[in-house]
Amino acid sequence: MLLIFKTTRAVIRAEKALRMSGRTCRIIPVPRSISKECGMGIEIDDECAASIEAVLSEFNYTIYRSNEYEK
């Protein structure tokens, strides 16, 4: 699953919040075909999608499922 944010700062803050809560994630470049925003996103496992909502409740993000983008 790919999380898209409007700014680079939001990506970095969200990654920090996810890591501090024990979630595994990684910052990856976002294909232009998906978003022309900041160019960075956070990749997470599909299994932890439900639990990230509480961690990232303060961030404005868009979710893309893994099969919608090329890893």
Side-chain angles (χ1 to χ4, degrees), residues 3-20:
L3 307 176
I4 305 293
F5 299 83
K6 292 195 179 278
T7 66
T8 303
R9 179 181 166 106
V11 172
I12 293 167
R13 288 180 59 221
E15 180 201 25
K16 182 178 179 180
L18 287 169
R19 291 194 187 276
M20 288 178 67

Side-chain angles (χ1 to χ4, degrees), residues 7-68:
T7 66
T8 303
R9 179 181 166 106
V11 172
I12 293 167
R13 288 180 59 221
E15 180 201 25
K16 182 178 179 180
L18 287 169
R19 291 194 187 276
M20 288 178 67
S21 69
R23 306 309 192 289
T24 302
C25 63
R26 70 182 184 133
I27 294 178
I28 63 168
V30 174
R32 290 279 178 202
S33 61
I34 293 177
S35 174
K36 293 178 176 47
E37 297 290 339
C38 76
M40 295 169 49
I42 298 177
E43 185 178 51
I44 61 168
D45 292 330
D46 288 343
E47 296 83 42
C48 64
S51 65
I52 64 151
E53 289 183 18
V55 175
L56 298 180
S57 62
E58 68 183 87
F59 299 95
N60 183 17
Y61 62 94
T62 304
I63 296 176
Y64 286 90
R65 299 289 174 199
S66 297
N67 58 357
E68 294 180 7

